[in-house]
Amino acid sequence: MSKPHQAFILMPTMEDCIFCRIVKKEVPAEIEMETETLLAFKDINPKAPVHLLLVPKKHYRDITEADGEIWKEVREVALLVAKEKNLKSFRLVHNAGEAAAIPHMHVHLLGEVSVEREV
């Protein structure tokens, strides 16, 4: 009796991670704000009038690996960006596990979205 075939998903290494490469300035991005631990840049496929990605400089896969300090930083940067851009409304979205297109923790800041908009 043969064993069932197992599929393996190859995860990119940190050297291959597009967000790690953006953090290292190896790949260009429209950077809006930078702190010691976080980078905020424009999403290349915006889904809102303002669509930024808030990306930790340290490679965390998602919320399951991130510490509480990075979430404080995400909050502070989101509020600063909202104030600087005079956003009347904004939404923060984080995808974890297989829901994330890129396995490097990031939070979408979607500005000027309406309450009727689907997530």
Side-chain angles (χ1 to χ4, degrees):
M1 185 176 232
S2 66
K3 293 182 181 178
H5 175 72
Q6 293 181 337
F8 293 96
I9 297 172
L10 294 176
M11 297 305 294
T13 65
M14 283 187 261
E15 293 79 28
D16 297 331
C17 173
I18 187 68
F19 289 167
C20 288
R21 295 186 65 213
I22 289 171
V23 165
K24 292 182 209 169
K25 310 288 196 296
E26 295 173 353
V27 173
E30 289 187 61
I31 297 170
E32 295 278 321
M33 186 174 291
E34 184 170 4
T35 69
E36 279 187 39
T37 58
L38 201 72
L39 199 62
F41 55 90
K42 290 184 179 180
D43 192 301
I44 60 169
N45 295 305
K47 307 296 184 207
V50 175
H51 187 167
L52 301 180
L53 299 176
L54 310 181
V55 178
K57 291 181 176 181
K58 179 179 177 184
H59 185 98
Y60 300 103
R61 179 174 163 73
D62 56 35
I63 191 172
T64 62
E65 294 181 356
D67 60 28
E69 291 304 310
I70 199 65
W71 287 103
K72 289 178 189 176
E73 183 82 11
V74 166
R75 177 186 181 275
E76 291 169 9
V77 168
L79 292 173
L80 271 171
V81 167
K83 184 176 182 177
E84 284 184 2
K85 295 192 171 292
N86 296 314
L87 298 178
K88 294 178 182 76
S89 64
F90 66 94
R91 192 174 281 174
L92 298 175
V93 178
H94 171 66
N95 298 305
E98 292 181 17
I102 297 173
H104 182 128
M105 180 188 161
H106 58 287
V107 176
H108 296 261
L109 185 150
L110 303 161
E112 302 301 343
V113 293
S114 70
V115 71
E116 293 86 23
R117 178 201 159 111
E118 290 187 31
V119 176

mmCIF file of all heavy atoms in Angstrom, residues 26-43:
data_model
loop_
_atom_site.group_PDB
_atom_site.id
_atom_site.type_symbol
_atom_site.label_atom_id
_atom_site.label_comp_id
_atom_site.label_asym_id
_atom_site.label_seq_id
_atom_site.Cartn_x
_atom_site.Cartn_y
_atom_site.Cartn_z
ATOM 1 N N GLU A 26 16.506 47.512 -1.241
ATOM 2 C CA GLU A 26 16.960 46.798 -2.433
ATOM 3 C C GLU A 26 15.909 46.868 -3.544
ATOM 4 O O GLU A 26 16.235 46.676 -4.717
ATOM 5 C CB GLU A 26 17.242 45.334 -2.098
ATOM 6 C CG GLU A 26 18.379 45.121 -1.138
ATOM 7 C CD GLU A 26 18.538 43.685 -0.688
ATOM 8 O OE1 GLU A 26 17.688 42.829 -1.017
ATOM 9 O OE2 GLU A 26 19.530 43.419 0.014
ATOM 10 N N VAL A 27 14.676 47.113 -3.146
ATOM 11 C CA VAL A 27 13.555 47.224 -4.079
ATOM 12 C C VAL A 27 12.895 48.575 -3.813
ATOM 13 O O VAL A 27 12.643 48.919 -2.655
ATOM 14 C CB VAL A 27 12.547 46.066 -3.862
ATOM 15 C CG1 VAL A 27 11.304 46.254 -4.704
ATOM 16 C CG2 VAL A 27 13.197 44.721 -4.152
ATOM 17 N N PRO A 28 12.617 49.344 -4.861
ATOM 18 C CA PRO A 28 12.020 50.665 -4.638
ATOM 19 C C PRO A 28 10.577 50.575 -4.134
ATOM 20 O O PRO A 28 9.849 49.635 -4.455
ATOM 21 C CB PRO A 28 12.077 51.324 -6.012
ATOM 22 C CG PRO A 28 12.184 50.202 -6.985
ATOM 23 C CD PRO A 28 12.858 49.067 -6.278
ATOM 24 N N ALA A 29 10.201 51.564 -3.355
ATOM 25 C CA ALA A 29 8.828 51.705 -2.865
ATOM 26 C C ALA A 29 8.598 53.184 -2.582
ATOM 27 O O ALA A 29 9.540 53.926 -2.319
ATOM 28 C CB ALA A 29 8.625 50.885 -1.597
ATOM 29 N N GLU A 30 7.341 53.597 -2.647
ATOM 30 C CA GLU A 30 6.988 54.977 -2.324
ATOM 31 C C GLU A 30 6.777 55.067 -0.820
ATOM 32 O O GLU A 30 5.668 54.862 -0.330
ATOM 33 C CB GLU A 30 5.741 55.410 -3.087
ATOM 34 C CG GLU A 30 5.998 55.590 -4.570
ATOM 35 C CD GLU A 30 4.797 56.187 -5.273
ATOM 36 O OE1 GLU A 30 4.398 57.320 -4.919
ATOM 37 O OE2 GLU A 30 4.251 55.505 -6.155
ATOM 38 N N ILE A 31 7.857 55.357 -0.113
ATOM 39 C CA ILE A 31 7.843 55.384 1.349
ATOM 40 C C ILE A 31 7.208 56.677 1.834
ATOM 41 O O ILE A 31 7.598 57.764 1.418
ATOM 42 C CB ILE A 31 9.266 55.205 1.901
ATOM 43 C CG1 ILE A 31 9.812 53.839 1.491
ATOM 44 C CG2 ILE A 31 9.274 55.364 3.431
ATOM 45 C CD1 ILE A 31 11.279 53.623 1.769
ATOM 46 N N GLU A 32 6.233 56.521 2.705
ATOM 47 C CA GLU A 32 5.513 57.664 3.271
ATOM 48 C C GLU A 32 6.042 58.027 4.658
ATOM 49 O O GLU A 32 6.005 59.178 5.050
ATOM 50 C CB GLU A 32 4.018 57.344 3.379
ATOM 51 C CG GLU A 32 3.327 57.146 2.049
ATOM 52 C CD GLU A 32 2.945 58.450 1.400
ATOM 53 O OE1 GLU A 32 2.515 59.371 2.097
ATOM 54 O OE2 GLU A 32 3.073 58.536 0.161
ATOM 55 N N MET A 33 6.491 57.017 5.407
ATOM 56 C CA MET A 33 6.984 57.256 6.764
ATOM 57 C C MET A 33 7.896 56.097 7.156
ATOM 58 O O MET A 33 7.686 54.962 6.738
ATOM 59 C CB MET A 33 5.806 57.350 7.742
ATOM 60 C CG MET A 33 6.210 57.750 9.153
ATOM 61 S SD MET A 33 4.776 58.004 10.228
ATOM 62 C CE MET A 33 4.094 59.483 9.510
ATOM 63 N N GLU A 34 8.890 56.423 7.974
ATOM 64 C CA GLU A 34 9.811 55.402 8.461
ATOM 65 C C GLU A 34 10.166 55.707 9.900
ATOM 66 O O GLU A 34 10.442 56.848 10.253
ATOM 67 C CB GLU A 34 11.075 55.371 7.593
ATOM 68 C CG GLU A 34 12.040 54.288 7.964
ATOM 69 C CD GLU A 34 13.170 54.109 6.959
ATOM 70 O OE1 GLU A 34 13.256 54.883 5.981
ATOM 71 O OE2 GLU A 34 13.969 53.189 7.164
ATOM 72 N N THR A 35 10.146 54.666 10.733
ATOM 73 C CA THR A 35 10.607 54.756 12.109
ATOM 74 C C THR A 35 11.738 53.742 12.274
ATOM 75 O O THR A 35 12.110 53.067 11.313
ATOM 76 C CB THR A 35 9.471 54.439 13.116
ATOM 77 O OG1 THR A 35 9.147 53.051 13.024
ATOM 78 C CG2 THR A 35 8.235 55.294 12.863
ATOM 79 N N GLU A 36 12.242 53.606 13.480
ATOM 80 C CA GLU A 36 13.303 52.616 13.726
ATOM 81 C C GLU A 36 12.840 51.200 13.433
ATOM 82 O O GLU A 36 13.631 50.354 13.026
ATOM 83 C CB GLU A 36 13.777 52.684 15.175
ATOM 84 C CG GLU A 36 14.753 53.784 15.451
ATOM 85 C CD GLU A 36 15.315 53.697 16.861
ATOM 86 O OE1 GLU A 36 15.587 52.578 17.342
ATOM 87 O OE2 GLU A 36 15.474 54.762 17.470
ATOM 88 N N THR A 37 11.555 50.933 13.653
ATOM 89 C CA THR A 37 11.067 49.555 13.563
ATOM 90 C C THR A 37 10.004 49.318 12.495
ATOM 91 O O THR A 37 9.611 48.168 12.275
ATOM 92 C CB THR A 37 10.475 49.111 14.919
ATOM 93 O OG1 THR A 37 9.418 50.008 15.263
ATOM 94 C CG2 THR A 37 11.515 49.091 16.005
ATOM 95 N N LEU A 38 9.562 50.375 11.820
ATOM 96 C CA LEU A 38 8.426 50.224 10.903
ATOM 97 C C LEU A 38 8.621 51.069 9.652
ATOM 98 O O LEU A 38 9.192 52.157 9.707
ATOM 99 C CB LEU A 38 7.155 50.680 11.625
ATOM 100 C CG LEU A 38 5.824 50.185 11.093
ATOM 101 C CD1 LEU A 38 5.635 48.702 11.393
ATOM 102 C CD2 LEU A 38 4.696 50.967 11.759
ATOM 103 N N LEU A 39 8.114 50.563 8.536
ATOM 104 C CA LEU A 39 8.136 51.277 7.274
ATOM 105 C C LEU A 39 6.701 51.372 6.757
ATOM 106 O O LEU A 39 5.970 50.380 6.784
ATOM 107 C CB LEU A 39 8.994 50.492 6.277
ATOM 108 C CG LEU A 39 9.534 51.188 5.055
ATOM 109 C CD1 LEU A 39 10.457 52.330 5.440
ATOM 110 C CD2 LEU A 39 10.288 50.200 4.177
ATOM 111 N N ALA A 40 6.288 52.551 6.319
ATOM 112 C CA ALA A 40 4.957 52.745 5.743
ATOM 113 C C ALA A 40 5.145 53.184 4.294
ATOM 114 O O ALA A 40 5.795 54.190 4.024
ATOM 115 C CB ALA A 40 4.182 53.792 6.527
ATOM 116 N N PHE A 41 4.594 52.407 3.369
ATOM 117 C CA PHE A 41 4.733 52.746 1.958
ATOM 118 C C PHE A 41 3.444 52.436 1.207
ATOM 119 O O PHE A 41 2.587 51.687 1.682
ATOM 120 C CB PHE A 41 5.928 52.022 1.324
ATOM 121 C CG PHE A 41 5.933 50.525 1.471
ATOM 122 C CD1 PHE A 41 5.328 49.716 0.527
ATOM 123 C CD2 PHE A 41 6.560 49.925 2.556
ATOM 124 C CE1 PHE A 41 5.343 48.331 0.667
ATOM 125 C CE2 PHE A 41 6.585 48.552 2.698
ATOM 126 C CZ PHE A 41 5.981 47.748 1.743
ATOM 127 N N LYS A 42 3.314 53.048 0.016
ATOM 128 C CA LYS A 42 2.112 52.891 -0.787
ATOM 129 C C LYS A 42 2.002 51.475 -1.327
ATOM 130 O O LYS A 42 2.987 50.895 -1.790
ATOM 131 C CB LYS A 42 2.115 53.882 -1.949
ATOM 132 C CG LYS A 42 1.935 55.306 -1.516
ATOM 133 C CD LYS A 42 1.851 56.237 -2.709
ATOM 134 C CE LYS A 42 1.640 57.668 -2.250
ATOM 135 N NZ LYS A 42 1.567 58.583 -3.401
ATOM 136 N N ASP A 43 0.783 50.947 -1.280
ATOM 137 C CA ASP A 43 0.500 49.640 -1.871
ATOM 138 C C ASP A 43 0.541 49.799 -3.390
ATOM 139 O O ASP A 43 0.018 50.784 -3.927
ATOM 140 C CB ASP A 43 -0.879 49.159 -1.412
ATOM 141 C CG ASP A 43 -1.128 47.698 -1.731
ATOM 142 O OD1 ASP A 43 -1.073 47.327 -2.933
ATOM 143 O OD2 ASP A 43 -1.378 46.924 -0.800
#
